[in-house]
Every structure is written in structure tokens, then in C-alpha cells.
Amino acid sequence: MRPGTRAPFFLLPDPDAPPDPAAPPPSEPGPRLPAAEHRRRGRLHEAEGDSPSYLTAAQFATDPYGKDPRAMNDGATKHFATLRADLNYALTPDIRLLSFAYGTRQDFTRWFSRPVSPAAWRQREETYDRTVLGAGTSLNGRTQTRWTTLNWVAGVETFRESTAYQYFDGLDRRMRLSPAIDDRTSTLDSLSAFAEVDAPIHALFQPSLGLRWDRFSGGCSLDGAETGSDPCGPLARLSHASPKLGVRSDVAPGVRLRASWAEGFALPNTFAKYALGASQLDPNVFRQTEVGAQFKPAQGLLLDIAAYRLRSSDEIRTVAPGVYENDGATLRRGVEASVLWSLRPDLDVSLVYGSARSRITENASAALLGKSVAGVPRYTATAAINWTPVAAWTGTLTWRRVGAYAVTADNSVNYAGYATVDLGVSYVPPAASRYRLYATVVNVGDKAYATSAAVIGGTQVFAPGAPRSFKVGAQMQF
């Protein structure tokens, strides 16, 4: 996914993406596949952290792992559990019914101190307790026509998200001294229908057409007394249809060209969607155009490059408390490139690069026109080497780089970005490949960097990244 953007949806498998070993098998004529296949997956995660949230620019320059004396006992706790079931059922040799259902439970609490003025800091607490339930089903098939074989998919999906949220400020070392600013539960219900067809009419002309329709509803209710002014009421039902057009062309052996146009949208941020003044808003719409090419010049070498243009319109701004309007647009242009090279059976190299040149094209403030969108890195890059010197053992060296980006809307403050190097080793027994053991040294060079930069309370602050650290783990299939 590009920095600061969201990827266009693919209802059919992306023909230019590498195969996903966890994905269910595609529809294939013939009796070789069983009539039904099912899979269950789960994940548990628990984490607890204890570290200062922010340092000033001067502190970060002199001691990036230090602590501001005004910061309190900052930290966070998180619990996460999810379970998903998938069913793949062959209705006919050419048509499969794919269904899924999942449930996710998550709670997260964060305490962090930050400046509220050049001289004063305060600690705040935010707590989220979230439950998500979702399900969906789709028909996936292929149909022979007079001109070509059509690959198609059509389906529906839904989810319900419920989040209990509390926000307190002015804490004394995690002790609450004042009533809650926010104490509420919000719900978001989604119903979606989608369809896509791919028609490889000729090697030079392989068009695809997709359409997705989404409807959102929900609401917000108070769980206790609040001192804040964030809106909390019913969410005005909103629906939107998002089309997608694409075409591929195999112009020569090992050379594929492609072009696509896709649309997506976003709801108002945070609690603005639950405001009475937001009921007449249009969704924030994104339209993306992309052209690209894929090359396979030699055995084991894959090159891919694409250029894109992403425009957002009808961005939502706050006019006054509880009053909103559609006013704003941005434009992002960039290039994505990747290289996958298997040098030898035991050695492969990969490189992924993405650039994003963004600017504000419409805004209520004329001073912001032409400025870069805050928080969007100008580029990101990842390079990795995987080496398997002996059977079952693989070593990995990974370099990541996040480029510079504007911190403030007026671009008066910028952050130069950072780079890190990780070193890892994994073991997969040849005779029992259903589990994997791994160990990783994160930030092996112990480089001081900040994961993010911001201006809070008129002070530039940095969130320090982790120093050299070690991880060990196991992945198992049952």
C-alpha cells in the first residue's frame, strides 16, 4: 500500500501479484479438488509497554532514549484475539462458493504525556474496548462464451463493529483526577455487495470490470457523564458505489502491460460521522489511475513498475463545533517498483520502492494550496536478502527506509525520515513443515530514530523508535 493511501480493491485475484500460500485454491475444472475445504485460523496477542511517549527536539538530539522530566509513567497495554473460519465448496467443476466468518476482540489503553504549552505537560489516558463480527460469501467461477472464458466473482459481506471509548486528561501518574472527557460506545454496521468479471479476449486485450456497493449505518451513545463536546448521535445512513476498470496486455513473452482506474471512499474521521451536522455530507471520494508493466527478462528475475495518480475530493472539514462541510481536495502522484531475483536456489534478493508526491489542491485556507499533505512520506523502500545455506535454515537481512515528510499542514516543520536494518534466522523442519521457529534482531545497528514526529502544544516532539531488540517466536499449523 502506498504511503498515505489505500490500495484499490481486487475482487478477483490481482493477476500481477505473487501467489499467496494462505489463499484458497482457485476454481479449476476437473474432479481432482475435493467438494469442500475448510480452514480455521486464530491469533492471540498480548503486549505491555512502559516508555516515555515523546521527547522534545533538543532532548531527542542529545539523548534519544532519555525521558523528559515532565513526562510521567507513560505506557500501554493491549490484548487482541481473533478467530476466522473459511469454507470453500465446489458447486460444480467451474463454480465455487467461498464463505467466511470471523470475530475479533481487542482492548487497548495508552497513557502518554505531551506538552500543552511551552512550559507545561499533561498526561492523558485513552481506552478502547472493541468487538468486531463479520461474515461474507461469494460465488467464484468461470463461464465459457463464444469469444472467451469469463472469470467472475459476485458476493456480499457484512460486519458490525462496537467500540467502547474513554478519554481522560490531567492524570497524576495514571491516577484519574477529573471526570471523563469522553465516555461512550459507538457502533458501525456495514453491508457490501460486489461483482467483478475478467475477460481475457486476446493476449493483447484482457479487460476487467468491477463494482462494489457499500452501505454504512450505526450510532453513538453515552456510557457516562462527559465534559467534552465531541458529537455523539445516530450515524446518518450512507451508501456509495465504487467502480473499477482495468485492462492487461501480454505484448511479448515475459512482458505484460496494464492500466486501471478505480474509485474508493472514506467516512468522516473520528466522531464527526456521528454529528447531526454531518448528516448531509458526501463521502470523501478517492479516484486512482494507474499504468504499469511487468517484465520477466530471465529465469528467476521479475521486474514490476507502475505510475499512479490518486485524487481525493469532498474532504471534510470542521466549520464550527458540530458543523461540517465538504471542502478540500488533494493530489498524489508517484511510482512503485519492485525487483524479485532468485540468484541461486538458496539465495534470493528483493527490492520494493514507492514514491508519493502529494499536494493540496483545494482548501478553505488559501495559504495551504500547493503544500504537501502532512504525514505522507515522499518515498519508502525495503530491500531484503534471503539465504538458505543448509536445508531448513534461512537467514534474512532486511533494510527499510522511510523518507522525509511534512509534519505540519503549512510545511514549516519537516522530518527527515529514518532507516533501520533487521537480521533474522528461521528454522522449518523438512519432515514437519507445519511449524516454523524464528529469531530476529530488530534494529541490529542500534540506530537512534523516531517512528514519528509531531507538533503538540506548540512544541516539536519525537516518538523514539526501539533500540536494538530481540524477538523469538514460533508459527504453527494444526
Side-chain angles (χ1 to χ4, degrees):
M1 187 175 293
R2 302 188 178 97
T5 70
R6 30 192 255 168
F9 66 89
F10 281 96
L11 305 176
L12 290 170
D14 179 2
D16 299 309
D20 180 1
S27 300
E28 235 180 62
R32 293 175 298 169
L33 294 176
E37 299 172 344
H38 58 86
R39 178 175 301 185
R40 295 170 300 279
R41 289 173 283 180
R43 182 184 178 191
L44 294 173
H45 175 77
E46 181 177 353
E48 183 175 350
D50 184 7
S51 63
S53 298
Y54 294 109
L55 294 174
T56 65
Q59 293 165 342
F60 183 74
T62 56
D63 184 7
Y65 300 126
K67 177 182 177 181
D68 189 290
R70 296 163 291 186
M72 300 185 196
N73 54 338
D74 295 339
T77 62
K78 179 179 181 180
H79 301 86
F80 176 90
T82 185
L83 181 65
R84 173 174 171 136
D86 292 86
L87 176 65
N88 181 350
Y89 184 77
L91 299 175
T92 72
D94 291 325
I95 300 177
R96 280 188 171 272
L97 178 69
L98 305 182
S99 302
F100 68 88
Y102 66 90
T104 298
R105 189 80 168 81
Q106 174 185 359
D107 64 78
F108 174 73
T109 300
R110 181 190 182 196
W111 298 269
F112 65 100
S113 306
R114 82 287 186 204
V116 293
S117 71
W121 286 47
R122 281 207 304 260
Q123 188 183 59
R124 65 188 284 179
E125 173 193 336
E126 290 188 63
T127 296
Y128 300 84
D129 193 342
R130 178 170 294 147
T131 301
V132 184
L133 300 174
T137 188
S138 65
L139 287 173
N140 299 252
R142 58 181 59 184
T143 302
Q144 183 64 46
T145 69
R146 179 179 177 182
W147 301 278
T148 187
T149 299
L150 300 179
N151 302 303
W152 52 268
V153 60
V156 295
E157 59 187 26
T158 183
F159 73 81
R160 177 178 177 83
E161 175 183 300
S162 176
T163 304
Y165 172 69
Q166 290 184 312
Y167 166 33
F168 296 86
D169 203 359
L171 280 72
D172 181 10
R173 303 185 64 82
R174 302 192 184 184
M175 182 181 297
R176 299 170 181 172
L177 303 179
S178 304
I181 296 175
D182 286 330
D183 185 4
R184 55 186 55 192
T185 294
S186 61
T187 59
L188 185 63
D189 301 319
S190 169
L191 176 64
S192 304
F194 55 87
E196 185 172 349
V197 61
D198 177 70
I201 297 172
H202 188 274
L204 296 176
F205 184 61
Q206 304 174 55
S208 63
L209 172 65
L211 181 67
R212 180 183 180 93
W213 174 83
D214 296 276
R215 187 191 70 187
F216 288 94
S217 59
C220 175
S221 60
L222 300 184
D223 296 328
E226 296 185 345
T227 61
S229 59
D230 287 328
C232 185
L235 187 151
R237 182 171 294 181
L238 184 148
S239 61
H240 186 80
S242 304
K244 172 197 168 187
L245 302 171
V247 63
R248 306 186 310 277
S249 181
D250 296 328
V251 297
V255 180
R256 167 172 285 184
L257 306 181
R258 66 182 184 275
S260 65
W261 179 90
E263 182 178 294
F265 75 104
L267 297 176
N269 290 330
T270 62
F271 290 105
K273 64 175 71 71
Y274 301 107
L276 180 63
S279 60
Q280 302 302 316
L281 290 177
D282 294 323
N284 181 193
V285 177
F286 300 85
R287 294 183 176 91
Q288 176 176 295
T289 304
E290 179 177 304
V291 293
Q294 187 180 88
F295 305 93
K296 299 178 181 178
Q299 181 68 28
L301 179 59
L302 177 64
L303 310 175
D304 193 282
I305 187 168
Y308 69 90
R309 181 181 187 272
L310 176 65
R311 186 178 188 275
S312 72
S313 60
D314 293 325
E315 296 206 353
I316 298 161
R317 79 178 188 99
T318 303
V319 179
V323 181
Y324 307 90
E325 69 177 9
N326 291 110
D327 184 7
T330 63
L331 179 65
R332 295 170 173 87
R333 292 189 178 97
V335 173
E336 290 182 333
S338 66
V339 179
L340 303 176
W341 192 6
S342 180
L343 296 169
R344 301 195 312 251
D346 64 341
L347 181 64
D348 61 76
V349 177
S350 65
L351 173 64
V352 179
Y353 171 85
S355 69
R357 294 290 178 177
S358 63
R359 63 185 178 91
I360 299 171
T361 57
E362 295 179 22
N363 196 277
S365 172
L368 297 182
L369 297 179
K371 301 293 186 181
S372 297
V373 179
V376 179
R378 294 190 178 96
Y379 70 91
T380 59
T382 302
I385 300 175
N386 294 287
W387 181 38
T388 307
V390 294
W393 290 92
T394 300
T396 303
L397 181 67
T398 306
W399 171 83
R400 296 183 180 88
R401 168 69 179 169
V402 176
Y405 58 85
V407 174
T408 55
D410 63 1
N411 297 178
S412 60
V413 179
N414 293 270
Y415 178 44
Y418 62 91
T420 59
V421 177
D422 300 339
L423 182 64
V425 62
S426 63
Y427 174 73
V428 180
S433 59
R434 298 184 69 85
Y435 72 88
R436 171 178 174 264
L437 307 177
Y438 65 90
T440 305
V441 182
V442 181
N443 190 11
V444 66
D446 200 22
K447 182 175 181 179
Y449 70 99
T451 57
S452 65
V455 174
I456 303 177
T459 301
Q460 184 177 7
V461 293
F462 294 87
R468 182 190 298 118
S469 54
F470 302 88
K471 295 196 303 183
V472 294
Q475 294 176 336
M476 292 167 281
Q477 298 182 20
F478 302 98

